Amino acid sequence: MTIKRQPLFDPQSFLAKVGEGRSIASYRKDQIIFSQGDPADAVFYIQKGKVKITVISEQGKEAVIAILDPNEFFGEACLAGQAQRITTVTSMVESAIMRLDKAAVVRVIHHEPAFSEMFIAHLLGRTIRVEADLVDQLFNSSEKRLARLLLLLANFGKDGKPEPIVAKISQEMLAEMIGTTRSRVSFFMNKFRKLGLIEYDGSIEGGIQVHSSLLNLVLHEQPEIRTGLPPPEGRS
């Protein structure tokens, strides 16, 4: 008697197709995927595009806390008992997002080790990133924080080749993400461009080419990088 073997489970194939508890939706630029206060009942996976995660304080102040790229999950806090969303997620470009019902995610985690391994790797990577962000905020200057953020947005350190930042990234958004003022971001962006660490034509919202030489600022802070003082206002 021939025993028919079940095909190996492929997480990427699972995350590419509609199925039980899984649906795919297209989002236009600046469209909200979920809002702060919405029920937390699903996990999302970015098939294509880019999203930003923001939070609004009781005083109405909005802050950008993360920008996510393809092959990343978000909304996973529902698996830890979060009943309502504490953030808002918005597409930054045209995006294709898979929605996985909470029950569907729990089921596949329990039954498919390959998916569990992939999802745990995602959670560990996110935890490491949050810890690094905290250390960055506590101990690094706003100049170094901006350099690190630009490198992360350009995918340095991730699988695949670094790429230009093609989504709309305003100076105000960069300032929010590193905890400083727009004027300081403008000062440092001009400084990085003069030093040949980045390139952009006209407005930075048209895209920024980040060069690997910017790593020198984060890792070694060469003497020529230290010259020049930013405007005195705001956080250092």
Side-chain angles (χ1 to χ4, degrees):
M1 182 177 67
T2 302
I3 299 176
K4 186 177 181 180
R5 294 184 179 181
Q6 293 293 329
L8 293 176
F9 180 85
D10 180 7
Q12 292 298 335
S13 178
F14 174 80
L15 292 168
K17 300 175 182 177
V18 173
E20 184 180 358
R22 309 194 308 277
S23 59
I24 300 172
S26 297
Y27 293 86
R28 62 182 181 278
K29 181 180 177 182
D30 296 328
Q31 185 174 355
I32 292 175
I33 298 165
F34 62 70
S35 297
Q36 194 169 329
D38 285 352
D41 55 2
V43 176
F44 294 82
Y45 178 78
I46 306 172
Q47 291 185 340
K48 180 181 70 173
K50 188 184 292 280
V51 306
K52 66 176 179 179
I53 302 178
T54 59
V55 64
I56 301 177
S57 70
E58 292 182 357
Q59 293 73 33
K61 184 177 180 180
E62 183 181 76
V64 179
I65 59 174
I67 292 177
L68 304 181
D69 295 306
N71 304 319
E72 294 194 73
F73 293 93
F74 60 92
E76 63 271 30
C78 69
L79 301 177
Q82 185 185 85
Q84 290 184 316
R85 303 295 186 188
I86 62 172
T87 60
T88 295
V89 180
T90 308
S91 59
M92 300 180 67
V93 296
E94 290 188 0
S95 302
I97 310 292
M98 169 167 277
R99 182 186 188 278
L100 301 99
D101 291 343
K102 179 180 175 180
V105 178
V106 171
R107 185 167 56 250
V108 72
I109 287 174
H110 285 168
H111 294 104
E112 299 295 347
F115 184 89
S116 299
E117 182 178 342
M118 173 190 181
F119 196 69
I120 290 172
H122 156 76
L123 294 177
L124 291 174
R126 182 68 57 83
T127 299
I128 292 169
R129 169 70 185 273
V130 170
E131 290 178 348
D133 287 347
L134 179 58
V135 171
D136 194 41
Q137 288 287 340
L138 290 174
F139 297 111
N140 287 333
S141 66
S142 53
E143 183 177 16
K144 275 196 172 184
R145 295 199 302 272
L146 177 60
R148 175 177 174 270
L149 176 60
L150 292 172
L151 289 164
L152 289 171
L153 291 174
N155 290 331
F156 279 86
K158 296 183 180 180
D159 293 337
K161 294 182 179 179
E163 58 187 24
I165 302 170
V166 295
K168 179 181 179 182
I169 305 290
S170 67
Q171 291 188 355
E172 289 85 353
M173 187 181 298
L174 292 171
E176 289 175 4
M177 294 185 72
I178 65 170
T180 190
T181 62
R182 182 187 178 282
S183 61
R184 293 177 73 80
V185 167
S186 178
F187 176 89
F188 292 131
M189 293 296 290
N190 287 328
K191 179 179 177 180
F192 295 166
R193 182 166 61 171
K194 290 177 182 177
L195 290 169
L197 305 177
I198 62 174
E199 294 179 22
Y200 58 90
D201 297 323
S203 170
I204 66 170
E205 297 181 16
I208 310 167
Q209 178 71 50
V210 179
H211 298 301
S212 59
S213 54
L214 188 61
L215 282 167
N216 291 330
L217 190 150
V218 176
L219 299 177
H220 305 296
E221 193 169 6
Q222 296 175 342
E224 63 268 22
I225 302 295
R226 293 198 297 265
T227 60
L229 295 174
E233 66 186 59
R235 184 175 167 183
S236 62

